[in-house]
Amino acid sequence: MQNLQINNARFITYKDDFLTIDILGGVDLSQVERMVCTLRISYQNYPPFRTTLDLYNDNQTDKLQRTLCDKWELKLIEVSRTLHALTLQLEDYRLQELRFTGKQRTQPFEPSQDDTKRATAFLKNKNLLPELIKNLNTTGILGEDENAVILFLALASYKFNNPFSVLCLAKSGIGKSYILQKLSECMPPNTYSFHTRISANALYYFDSNEIQNKALLIEDLEWTTQMLSPLATLQSQGRLVNTRATKDKDGMLHSTTFEVVAKLCLIACAYSDKNFEEISLPFLCLHLNHTPSQDILIMEYQKKCRAGQIKTEDIEQAQHLLKCVVASLQNISVINPYATLIDLPKDVAYPRKSLLLLLNFIEVITYFFQYQREQTADEETGEVLIKTHPNDIELAFKFLRNNLFRRADELATSVRGFYGWLTKFLTEAKTNQFTALDIRKAKPINPRTLNRYLQELKLYSYIQVVGGNKHREGFIYKLTGFGSQTDVQNRIEQDIQATLKNVWNEYHKSKAPKEQQQQPTEEPIQQEPQTEEPTAHKQRVRIDEKEEYTLKILLELEEQEPQKEYLATDITAITKRSSITETRHLKNLWEQGKLNREWKNRKYYYTLATNSSKTVSQNPMTDTETQQP
């Protein structure tokens, strides 16, 4: 392409020592088997010659050569050499352009060694979530701490075996697109695919390489069944198969199958709608904060941005750190040994879908805490696995309590918020009756929206009509007291606490045998040199650390209840260690004369030894141990 001058894709000039040829309209990239061009050929001061032909057609090319030779009295070999060089250089140009017909791929994000060390230290930090919230606030996401953490964990799971998907629901102007944009700036490039809107049929024709193991961000989700069904299928099954009838070149119909295979994380925004919540989809519905306090917080941040009080350097540093953190996460499998103990509250709607979302989110939390979790290897395959910790289950219940369990409420989210405001308003007004006009005086609300809220509250018996007239001053409503959700929330909280208690008990049981196995490998106790006459029975002089902790617990209990008798199970309930371990520690303390022991009801009872009493071992007849003098 030495002689080509490419001003733009629609105007290309070829110039040599003999002719000057302008290719008007450029070269067609869609038809590789042809090279149809519109040429404007100039020679010296003669008027230019214009024609359209296919340079791959020899008949048309030979006719053009003879025409130019007869018109300007040129040699055939020179014209032929010029057209042949033009054709070769246009071929090279088209092949080069065909490499970039698709989306230009960005270079993969590769953090430096210092950035990797910082990201690894960040993931190993015990205060990982507070530090994550702090960095998210620095980037400009304010007042949405829990929601921001859920969204960031979902985005970080894009290369996980089981990615997590979230739908952000809120009214217009709340900031759905803003949060989506800020979170995308915290992701490494080439790890997400951002779309303003996607039609339903477009999903069936996606390139699998474009969305495989990536985060699919949709700013405006089309709320139709045609759009939601393929998204749900792609998320749950991991592929879409579409078969349709197409025509070939001869006009004959035949079936063509299009398949899209991808494991992706979906983050989409949409308008809050109760009808959508009734559709069972494998996505977590996340309701954004739209309270007046949140409005004030956002407006103050906007003022600071316009005043130049927000440093862009801090924002860029926080975004770069989060990019390195996401890039440092490794695709590792997660196993949850406590999955069989996790039960959902009975009041939660759609238990199958809700339980699946909960278990998936627990694995995502474990995946994010992979640098702080125990690693094991599969004996058969040798694959490295990480185990879920009970803390991950507690975090999952904490974050999903207000979102996943929201469907236990029979009212829509907006209606429940209006009912809470109405209850507070009537309490401050010290009355139990109201009209629609009273509400509009206190709160700006659309009359149709207010009518819809009142009709739904009346339908569910939260309010009742006690007077008034529809055509005059309007109906007079009264609260029935039926709308309290305290009992439901209490039952849900009790079920959650019972599940967490079972998980923690199983965790302590699994850790107890390990402690017993590690006990024989402890270093032998070093005895201090004896200054007194040796006795027949060797007593321990030095107390190890674990025995000191048991003695410390007994002294604290003695201050509360003096002269109380203790069993090994009483100490186990406090120290969370096995009864065998505590029995051994109590026996060592008894041998050292710090405790008294008595055999009653086929059990040993221990009491603290006083200075005035002697240490006496009252063993049963069947006990073969040597009594203390």
Side-chain angles (χ1 to χ4, degrees):
M1 298 188 299
Q2 298 177 356
N3 299 330
L4 284 182
Q5 297 179 4
I6 304 172
N7 300 320
N8 54 60
R10 297 297 180 182
F11 190 85
I12 303 174
T13 302
Y14 173 85
K15 187 176 181 180
D16 59 4
D17 298 335
F18 187 59
L19 295 176
T20 300
I21 304 175
D22 297 327
I23 297 90
L24 305 178
V27 182
D28 189 7
L29 301 178
S30 60
Q31 297 180 350
V32 185
E33 70 278 4
R34 299 178 182 178
M35 188 174 287
V36 180
C37 301
T38 299
L39 305 180
R40 185 177 64 184
I41 306 173
S42 301
Y43 175 71
Q44 295 182 358
N45 296 328
Y46 291 98
F49 177 77
R50 298 175 178 87
T51 184
T52 301
L53 77 162
D54 184 7
L55 294 177
Y56 285 170
N57 193 322
D58 291 339
N59 296 330
Q60 297 180 12
T61 306
D62 293 341
K63 184 178 178 180
L64 176 61
Q65 293 175 8
R66 291 193 300 268
T67 302
L68 294 177
C69 292
D70 296 341
K71 187 177 182 64
W72 293 327
E73 297 181 355
L74 302 176
K75 294 182 180 180
L76 181 61
I77 188 171
E78 294 178 351
V79 176
S80 176
R81 185 184 298 112
T82 300
L83 292 179
H84 179 68
L86 172 65
T87 304
L88 291 179
Q89 294 190 22
L90 288 178
E91 281 183 347
D92 295 339
Y93 166 73
R94 185 164 62 177
L95 290 176
Q96 184 177 0
E97 289 297 320
L98 285 175
R99 299 176 182 176
F100 304 99
T101 55
K103 294 182 179 179
Q104 185 175 3
R105 296 186 178 181
T106 58
Q107 295 294 332
F109 180 78
E110 296 181 358
S112 61
Q113 295 182 357
D114 296 337
D115 294 337
T116 304
K117 291 181 180 179
R118 289 178 55 198
T120 305
F122 183 88
L123 291 171
K124 292 181 179 180
N125 191 357
K126 295 183 179 179
N127 298 324
L128 178 56
L129 285 183
E131 290 294 328
L132 176 61
I133 294 174
K134 180 181 178 181
N135 284 273
L136 290 175
N137 293 337
T138 305
T139 59
I141 304 176
L142 303 176
E144 298 280 357
D145 292 346
E146 291 189 1
N147 293 337
V149 170
I150 294 175
L151 290 172
F152 185 81
L153 293 180
L155 285 174
S157 67
Y158 72 94
K159 57 183 178 181
F160 184 50
N161 296 330
N162 194 8
F164 196 71
S165 298
V166 181
L167 299 182
C168 299
L169 302 179
K171 298 180 180 179
S172 299
I174 299 302
K176 305 184 295 295
S177 302
Y178 174 79
I179 292 180
L180 206 64
Q181 179 184 0
K182 288 295 183 181
L183 289 173
S184 64
E185 293 175 355
C186 299
M187 294 291 294
N190 203 22
T191 60
Y192 64 92
S193 179
F194 190 90
H195 303 271
T196 303
R197 187 176 181 181
I198 299 178
S199 63
N201 294 329
L203 288 173
Y204 294 99
Y205 306 101
F206 260 101
D207 186 3
S208 299
N209 297 326
E210 295 181 0
I211 57 177
Q212 175 68 14
N213 289 333
K214 288 187 179 181
L216 182 62
L217 306 180
I218 304 177
E219 188 176 358
D220 184 12
L221 191 62
E222 184 182 355
W223 288 108
T224 61
T225 307
Q226 295 179 353
M227 179 62 183
L228 295 175
S229 298
L231 277 177
T233 305
L234 185 62
Q235 178 64 23
S236 58
Q237 300 182 7
R239 68 173 186 168
L240 286 175
V241 180
N242 182 24
T243 304
R244 51 171 295 187
T246 57
K247 289 184 179 181
D248 55 10
K249 295 182 180 180
D250 299 331
M252 301 298 294
L253 289 173
H254 62 91
S255 62
T256 305
T257 301
F258 302 90
E259 184 176 5
V260 179
V261 179
K263 287 185 179 180
L264 55 88
C265 160
L266 173 66
I267 306 295
C269 299
Y271 190 83
S272 181
D273 190 1
K274 182 185 176 182
N275 295 330
F276 163 74
E277 295 182 355
E278 295 177 355
I279 303 176
S280 182
L281 294 175
F283 313 128
L284 175 66
C285 299
L286 198 65
H287 294 266
L288 300 184
N289 188 3
H290 58 275
T291 58
S293 59
Q294 176 68 6
D295 296 338
I296 296 175
L297 185 62
I298 296 299
M299 289 187 293
E300 291 295 331
Y301 181 78
Q302 293 173 352
K303 294 177 184 178
K304 292 181 180 179
C305 290
R306 294 297 184 271
Q309 299 179 6
I310 304 299
K311 297 182 179 179
T312 57
E313 297 178 357
D314 297 340
I315 297 178
E316 293 176 356
Q317 291 179 1
Q319 292 175 351
H320 183 71
L321 176 60
L322 294 179
K323 289 179 182 179
C324 298
V325 168
V326 175
S328 300
L329 294 174
Q330 301 177 1
N331 186 12
I332 188 170
S333 301
V334 176
I335 182 173
N336 186 1
Y338 313 105
T340 57
L341 303 176
I342 299 176
D343 296 325
L344 285 178
K346 298 180 180 179
D347 296 306
V348 175
Y350 309 106
R352 296 184 182 181
K353 174 202 167 184
S354 301
L355 179 61
L356 200 61
L357 286 174
L358 178 61
L359 295 176
N360 192 3
F361 190 65
I362 292 173
E363 292 181 357
V364 170
I365 295 177
T366 307
Y367 167 76
F368 189 71
F369 282 82
Q370 59 183 249
Y371 286 88
Q372 303 183 21
R373 295 296 175 256
E374 179 184 358
Q375 294 187 359
T376 58
D378 192 350
E379 297 180 356
E380 298 180 356
T381 62
E383 182 183 6
V384 179
L385 307 172
I386 55 175
K387 288 186 177 181
T388 299
H389 194 271
N391 290 331
D392 303 336
I393 302 177
E394 285 189 357
L395 287 176
F397 277 110
K398 175 185 176 182
F399 287 127
L400 301 186
R401 180 181 282 106
N402 296 329
N403 297 285
L404 186 61
F405 303 145
R406 184 189 295 270
R407 298 191 180 185
D409 192 358
E410 58 188 359
L411 295 179
T413 305
S414 57
V415 181
R416 173 58 64 181
F418 171 76
Y419 181 77
W421 174 87
L422 179 62
T423 305
K424 182 179 179 181
F425 169 71
L426 295 179
T427 303
E428 295 177 355
K430 298 181 180 180
T431 182
N432 197 26
Q433 297 182 359
F434 63 95
T435 62
L437 183 59
D438 297 335
I439 296 177
R440 294 201 60 207
K441 290 180 179 179
K443 183 177 183 180
I445 188 173
N446 189 283
R448 295 183 181 273
T449 304
L450 176 60
N451 185 35
R452 179 169 59 87
Y453 289 168
L454 294 177
Q455 291 297 327
E456 186 168 349
L457 291 176
K458 180 183 175 183
L459 179 64
Y460 286 99
S461 302
Y462 283 60
I463 60 175
Q464 64 180 2
V465 178
V466 295
N469 192 308
K470 177 181 179 181
H471 303 286
R472 293 184 180 179
E473 69 278 2
F475 290 116
I476 300 176
Y477 299 95
K478 177 183 178 181
L479 294 177
T480 60
F482 180 74
S484 177
Q485 291 290 317
T486 306
D487 297 337
V488 177
Q489 297 297 331
N490 291 337
R491 290 197 301 268
I492 292 177
E493 188 65 27
Q494 291 176 2
D495 294 340
I496 293 175
Q497 295 300 327
T499 300
L500 294 177
K501 183 178 179 181
N502 295 333
V503 170
W504 277 108
N505 290 338
E506 183 66 22
Y507 173 75
H508 292 311
K509 289 181 181 179
S510 62
K511 291 299 180 182
K514 293 183 179 181
E515 185 178 358
Q516 296 176 10
Q517 295 175 3
Q518 294 175 358
Q519 186 65 27
T521 60
E522 294 179 357
E523 296 181 358
I525 300 176
Q526 299 180 359
Q527 295 185 357
E528 297 180 358
Q530 297 181 357
T531 57
E532 299 179 357
E533 296 181 359
T535 56
H537 182 78
K538 297 182 179 180
Q539 296 184 0
R540 297 190 181 190
V541 178
R542 181 179 179 273
I543 302 175
D544 60 8
E545 187 176 2
K546 295 183 179 180
E547 295 173 354
E548 291 180 354
Y549 182 72
T550 303
L551 182 60
K552 180 180 179 181
I553 296 298
L554 290 173
L555 293 175
E556 293 178 356
L557 296 175
E558 187 68 11
E559 294 179 357
Q560 300 176 1
E561 298 183 12
Q563 299 300 324
K564 181 181 178 181
E565 296 180 344
Y566 303 98
L567 295 172
T569 55
D570 298 335
I571 311 302
T572 303
I574 300 175
T575 59
K576 304 299 182 181
R577 295 185 294 203
S578 63
S579 58
I580 299 177
T581 303
E582 291 298 338
T583 302
R584 183 173 64 254
H585 295 336
L586 292 173
K587 180 181 177 182
N588 293 337
L589 293 173
W590 167 73
E591 290 177 352
Q592 297 169 9
K594 297 183 179 296
L595 297 180
N596 295 331
R597 189 172 71 174
E598 184 178 4
W599 177 266
K600 294 189 303 183
N601 299 328
R602 303 183 62 84
K603 295 181 180 179
Y604 281 117
Y605 288 81
Y606 293 91
T607 57
L608 284 174
T610 58
N611 297 331
S612 59
S613 61
K614 297 182 179 180
T615 304
V616 181
S617 173
Q618 299 180 3
N619 298 333
M621 296 298 296
T622 58
D623 191 5
T624 58
E625 296 181 359
T626 306
Q627 297 182 357
Q628 299 293 325

